[in-house]
Amino acid sequence: MAVYSMTGYASVQQDARATRPAPAGQRRLGLEMRAVNSRFLDLSLYLPDELRAQEPQLRALVGQHLRRGKVELRVSFDAGEAAPLQPPDAVLLQGIAALQDHVRTWLPDAPPLSVSDALRLSAQTRAPQADWSEPLLALAQQAIETLVQARAREGARLATMLQERVQQLRALAAQAEPLVPQLVQQQRQRFLQRWAHAMQLAQGEGAPEVVQERALAEATAFALRIDVAEEITRLHAHLDEITRLLAQGGELGKRLDFLIQELHREANTLGSKSASIELTRVSVDMKVLIEQMREQVQNIE
């Protein structure tokens, strides 16, 4: 199954001849969809007044294919093929003029009708009401499929980027693993040197065994404080799960977001336990990569 981004765009048009009956002037139905990231499915519809009744069907259709994202769906009528202008019927024009006179009797300040107003009213009066329900839903299905394809292409790019960051994090974890034993050994030697120096200064005032045992206890406590083996193990486990989810595909954005939070927590702990510049650098590099992953995961459905 593919990985889908929540970002995408689709634009499709339907010729008016697909409607029954065909409206005058051969109008064309256009549909545009835009989608960006969002925690949930947030659908906004912008429909002409004559298509308002189709809103429930459009919402149900979008909900069948999309689960997350801020989606904007716009439907409009555009002029299609040019049709020869037909002069309005004289009787119809007489009726429009009589209606205007009647209105201005009660509203004398009302402006007179223009030629375009008269043509529009005559066209509305004689034009049969077109049934756009079937072509609208078919057009919406086509737009959704186009949008899903665009989101799949973007999702594949995001998945590739995340896999690259996963490999880079694994490489950084491999750099961190041998650093801690080295630091523990160095600190152990340092404690033993301090113990030997303290014994020389004490000149036998204390039992050597007790002093040595105290030095080794402090070295052991230090080793426990800086041990990051558990953090690195959990980090590898989270990276394995991210790799599995990316291979599985589907709706995984929220799970990836949770795993990114866990990765950031392990990298923070790694930095807080750092006892060397090298380990601090590894922690900082990990945080940079994890933050890059967080930004991209926000766009995955």
Side-chain angles (χ1 to χ4, degrees):
M1 189 178 296
V3 175
Y4 294 96
S5 168
M6 285 186 283
T7 302
Y9 174 80
S11 178
V12 293
Q13 291 180 332
Q14 172 68 48
D15 191 88
R17 284 173 293 188
T19 62
R20 297 185 301 271
Q26 295 298 326
R27 288 191 303 171
R28 184 171 55 196
L29 186 65
L31 193 149
E32 183 182 58
M33 294 186 70
R34 300 175 185 271
V36 295
N37 61 315
S38 177
R39 293 184 61 190
F40 308 101
L41 179 59
D42 181 7
L43 176 60
S44 300
L45 298 179
Y46 301 90
L47 306 175
D49 291 338
E50 57 190 292
L51 299 178
R52 293 289 183 188
Q54 307 303 319
E55 181 171 338
Q57 292 91 328
L58 287 174
R59 288 189 176 276
L61 186 61
V62 173
Q64 291 174 6
H65 297 82
L66 306 180
R67 295 294 180 267
R68 294 179 64 196
K70 182 177 178 59
V71 182
E72 183 180 286
L73 188 152
R74 292 182 179 272
V75 180
S76 60
F77 287 110
D78 300 321
E81 299 177 0
L85 294 178
Q86 299 293 333
D89 183 73
V91 176
L92 182 60
L93 290 177
Q94 290 176 358
I96 293 176
L99 181 61
Q100 176 181 237
D101 293 339
H102 178 73
V103 171
R104 298 191 70 183
T105 300
W106 295 95
L107 300 173
D109 295 333
L113 292 175
S114 65
V115 174
S116 61
D117 292 334
L119 291 175
R120 177 172 52 82
L121 289 173
S122 62
Q124 291 178 354
T125 303
R126 70 186 180 188
Q129 185 66 32
D131 182 10
W132 289 95
S133 58
E134 290 186 10
L136 175 60
L137 294 178
L139 197 65
Q141 180 69 37
Q142 181 183 348
I144 292 172
E145 292 174 357
T146 303
L147 180 67
V148 169
Q149 293 172 4
R151 286 161 63 119
R153 290 192 297 270
E154 178 66 13
R157 187 188 68 80
L158 294 178
T160 300
M161 188 280 294
L162 291 175
Q163 290 285 20
E164 292 174 354
R165 300 300 184 273
V166 166
Q167 295 304 320
Q168 293 172 1
L169 285 172
R170 291 188 190 277
L172 289 174
Q175 295 177 23
E177 287 175 348
L179 293 177
V180 174
Q182 295 175 8
L183 291 173
V184 171
Q185 183 61 29
Q186 292 174 5
Q187 192 65 19
R188 182 183 178 89
Q189 293 298 327
R190 188 176 297 114
F191 274 121
L192 291 176
Q193 291 173 3
R194 291 179 180 176
W195 164 75
H197 181 66
M199 288 301 299
Q200 293 177 1
L201 295 177
Q203 296 180 352
E205 292 182 1
E209 296 79 6
V210 175
V211 179
Q212 184 178 18
E213 183 179 349
R214 176 62 182 274
L216 292 176
E218 291 184 4
T220 302
F222 174 79
L224 293 175
R225 287 196 302 272
I226 69 170
D227 185 16
V228 293
E230 292 186 7
E231 285 74 14
I232 293 178
T233 299
R234 287 194 295 266
L235 189 141
H236 278 298
H238 298 328
L239 294 177
D240 291 341
E241 181 64 12
I242 291 175
T243 301
R244 187 190 69 81
L245 289 175
L246 291 175
Q248 170 184 309
E251 301 172 27
L252 46 85
K254 292 184 178 180
R255 283 178 287 180
L256 285 177
D257 186 57
F258 172 76
L259 289 171
I260 294 300
Q261 294 180 29
E262 294 301 309
L263 283 178
H264 196 270
R265 181 176 303 160
E266 303 305 337
N268 270 337
T269 305
L270 194 68
S272 65
K273 288 186 173 183
S274 174
S276 69
I277 296 177
E278 292 82 0
L279 199 57
T280 300
R281 179 188 59 79
V282 169
S283 174
V284 171
D285 290 345
M286 282 184 172
K287 291 179 183 179
V288 171
L289 292 174
I290 293 170
E291 187 60 30
Q292 293 174 357
M293 296 175 70
R294 184 199 303 275
E295 293 175 357
Q296 301 304 323
V297 163
Q298 300 301 317
N299 293 319
I300 294 180
E301 186 176 31

